[in-house]
Amino acid sequence: MIFFRVAAPFIAGYFVSYVYRMANAVLGPTLAEEFGLTAGGLGLLSSVYFLSFALFQLPLGLLLDRFGPRRVNATLLLVAALGGLWFAFAHSAASAIAARALIGLGVSGCLMASFTAFVLWYPADRLSTMNGITFAAGALGAITATVPLELLLRVMHWREVFLLLVAATILVSLVLWFWVPERRLERQKGFAKEIKELANLMRDPAFQRLAVCLGASQCAAVALQTLWVATWFRDVAGYDRDGVAFGLLIVNVGMIAGYLGFGRAADRRTRAGRSNFPLIVGGVACSSVSLALLAIGTKVGVSSGALALWFLFVASGTSVVLIYSLLSRRYPKEMAGRANTAINVVGFAGMFGGQWAIGLVLDRWPQSPAGYAPEAYPWALGMVWAVQLAGLLWLLAGRKLLEQPESSPS
């Protein structure tokens, strides 16, 4: 009953947010043509979602801990609906970029509100599984923005599709406000005290290691998955629009498998009193190897088996989100919102930087008749691979801080 009354509405919000996040992977060529965007411009249009998302994370954490996840998320989703409405009626690149930034702000609470609600309603040894279910729901949203979206675009204009998404956003907001029961910890501390605790958290060396690894991994994984994998399928592998949509579908199935698999494995290790650190490191390392092989294969003109490598790159890269459940067990419950949103600043800054930078790299070569120059992709992939690997090595350098089994929050 708790799942349907509490978890499901929050998870639905994250599903909607991921449709917004992934839509440009399919709409990208249409938006680039309609608004006259270069690769860098398209990268900015998509990645500004992550920038506004990141900028609001620290205020969001304070709001979640003070007012509770239900009220904050329901209110922010109305902001997302306003941004979606603006995007649907945008007729210039500037207005579309501003509207997408507003969408990013509006959905910035969906995942963190879910995590905060789970901390309040579920025992510690269920957190990784609940987080994994939420991430898998996001992956279903991503899948919805692949083949289903491509099919819908055959009978509807993309602006009409966005109006449907706006209606779904408003519906989820209303369900959160009127259906989900209220639960939040009583605040015994003043605002100044909460700010001081947040500052102490961000100075924690273990937190810094985790944050850098998260941001570096997402700089590669999410930046590619939510936009540039689609253009790689078109420009390097030679897929048509249906083939691109199918390729994205396969990649996002990998994301679901990774989230659910790593979530269950992490909870089993937690119940056995073992650290989840090896799962995080092993998954990110596998993701990094997959991306290196893709970059090398693109350089030498070999795309055979590439879809399997993209699947493995995304699936294994999902292990990095175990950092969120690790944080939930490392710090007190009353700091759950601030801990998760503080680390999310770095994660989404990485997504923004990676997605925009890839577009800028692709712009260094003249466009091909089909899209962007295939010879540009090894450099773009190599760039974000180097960032991902550096983040992993930084985490490993501080492994003594993180290998101890996590204890339940006080």
Side-chain angles (χ1 to χ4, degrees):
M1 182 60 181
I2 291 178
F3 181 85
F4 292 104
R5 190 74 191 275
V6 177
F10 284 102
I11 291 171
Y14 189 57
F15 171 92
V16 169
S17 78
Y18 231 104
V19 177
Y20 279 119
R21 184 184 301 187
M22 278 293 300
N24 281 10
V26 169
L27 294 177
T30 301
L31 297 175
E33 181 179 358
E34 187 163 330
F35 295 122
L37 299 170
T38 64
L42 180 59
L44 178 60
L45 172 62
S46 288
S47 65
V48 73
Y49 167 106
F50 299 124
L51 178 61
S52 62
F53 200 117
L55 292 175
F56 193 65
Q57 289 303 291
L58 293 182
L60 174 64
L62 294 168
L63 292 172
L64 288 172
D65 285 341
R66 181 161 288 271
F67 298 106
R70 180 186 69 86
R71 296 180 184 182
V72 172
N73 202 23
T75 303
L76 284 175
L77 281 172
L78 294 179
V79 176
L82 181 62
L85 191 64
W86 187 3
F87 193 83
F89 289 100
H91 289 286
S92 69
S95 60
I97 289 170
R100 184 144 173 93
L102 190 61
I103 292 171
L105 172 64
V107 299
S108 64
C110 290
L111 183 61
M112 297 298 101
S114 299
F115 288 174
T116 305
F118 298 157
V119 169
L120 295 175
W121 286 89
Y122 286 93
D125 63 2
R126 292 285 307 281
L127 292 179
S128 292
T129 294
M130 292 306 302
N131 291 355
I133 291 171
T134 306
F135 281 120
L140 285 175
I143 286 175
T144 302
T146 59
V147 172
L149 176 58
E150 180 63 37
L151 294 174
L152 193 58
L153 290 171
R154 296 180 183 179
V155 296
M156 298 179 70
H157 195 275
W158 71 265
R159 297 179 186 274
E160 295 172 324
V161 173
F162 254 80
L163 292 177
L164 289 178
L165 189 53
V166 167
T169 307
I170 294 172
L171 177 61
V172 174
S173 173
L174 293 175
V175 170
L176 282 166
W177 192 267
F178 293 107
W179 172 253
V180 176
E182 180 70 9
R183 176 178 287 188
R184 55 195 175 100
L185 294 175
E186 291 298 322
R187 304 258 64 87
Q188 302 294 333
K189 304 169 184 176
F191 187 73
K193 178 66 172 177
E194 292 179 344
I195 292 288
K196 183 179 179 180
E197 288 178 342
L198 176 61
N200 290 337
L201 166 75
M202 297 181 73
R203 286 194 292 265
D204 179 2
F207 175 87
Q208 293 170 359
R209 300 274 176 174
L210 293 168
V212 169
C213 181
L214 178 69
S217 183
Q218 302 295 58
C219 173
V222 177
L224 286 167
Q225 180 199 357
T226 56
L227 181 62
W228 299 117
V229 169
T231 63
W232 188 96
F233 284 145
R234 179 195 66 192
D235 301 335
V236 177
Y239 291 3
D240 60 13
R241 286 188 63 136
D242 290 344
V244 169
F246 178 76
L248 289 172
L249 174 65
I250 297 301
V251 167
N252 288 311
V253 168
M255 181 166 62
I256 292 179
Y259 283 144
L260 293 178
F262 280 114
R264 293 298 298 273
D267 277 346
R268 285 197 297 269
R269 291 180 67 89
T270 299
R271 285 192 290 269
R274 302 168 68 189
S275 171
N276 289 327
F277 184 76
L279 288 178
I280 297 170
V281 170
V284 175
C286 182
S287 179
S288 184
V289 170
S290 301
L291 184 56
L293 292 174
L294 283 164
I296 293 169
T298 303
K299 178 68 175 178
V300 300
V302 176
S303 59
S304 177
L307 186 57
L309 283 174
W310 281 117
F311 178 98
L312 186 61
F313 165 67
V314 170
S316 55
T318 61
S319 67
V320 79
V321 304
L322 295 177
I323 286 173
Y324 292 108
S325 57
L326 189 154
L327 285 178
S328 296
R329 287 186 285 269
R330 189 177 185 91
Y331 301 105
K333 279 187 177 184
E334 60 267 20
M335 289 188 64
R338 282 165 289 166
N340 283 322
T341 54
I343 203 168
N344 228 24
V345 172
V346 184
F348 275 81
M351 297 174 204
F352 165 72
Q355 195 162 84
W356 190 14
I358 289 169
L360 294 176
V361 170
L362 296 181
D363 273 338
R364 302 296 294 175
W365 280 260
Q367 288 197 20
S368 69
Y372 308 120
E375 57 267 28
Y377 281 92
W379 296 95
L381 298 183
M383 173 186 65
V384 292
W385 167 80
V387 174
Q388 184 185 47
L389 180 62
L392 176 61
L393 294 176
W394 174 249
L395 182 69
L396 282 169
R399 61 187 178 274
K400 290 182 179 179
L401 297 170
L402 298 159
E403 283 182 330
Q404 295 83 6
E406 302 85 24
S407 58
S408 298
S410 58

